[in-house]
Amino acid sequence: TLMNDVCVLVMSEFGRAADENGPLGTADAKGGVAFCVGGAVQGIWPGVGPIDLENGSFLPPVNDYRDVIMEVLIGHLGISVADAEATFDGFTHTPLGLF
């Protein structure tokens, strides 16, 4: 189907704490979020539970954002691993199984 030709990647490097702070908001945190949608996307979900919070407040980073982008470059666009790694000079890709 044509949906297998579609891949939408939405990412943010901005994270928020899972717990409220004094003014009833949430503090900035490390990490972020990525959504990848398309017909060929296999999907990965590491799972999150209360015990997984770092310092009782933050979701720990699970994947490097460069690996997520490289999954799309390699798995969806068909770019070689070497060329994709050259996009992020000095970075070695760890496959995530997204495609």
Side-chain angles (χ1 to χ4, degrees), residues 47-80:
V48 175
I51 199 164
D52 295 330
L53 293 178
E54 191 173 292
N55 296 327
S57 184
F58 305 110
L59 291 173
V62 176
N63 300 307
D64 189 299
Y65 77 94
R66 295 171 291 188
D67 282 323
V68 177
I69 294 171
M70 290 178 73
E71 286 285 299
V72 173
L73 294 175
I74 296 164
H76 184 70
L77 297 177
I79 295 173
S80 72

Side-chain angles (χ1 to χ4, degrees), residues 7-33:
C7 178
V8 178
L9 177 62
V10 179
M11 299 179 72
S12 172
E13 81 291 350
F14 186 78
R16 284 282 183 192
D19 58 344
E20 287 183 355
N21 59 18
L24 302 179
T26 57
D28 294 353
K30 60 184 174 180
V33 66

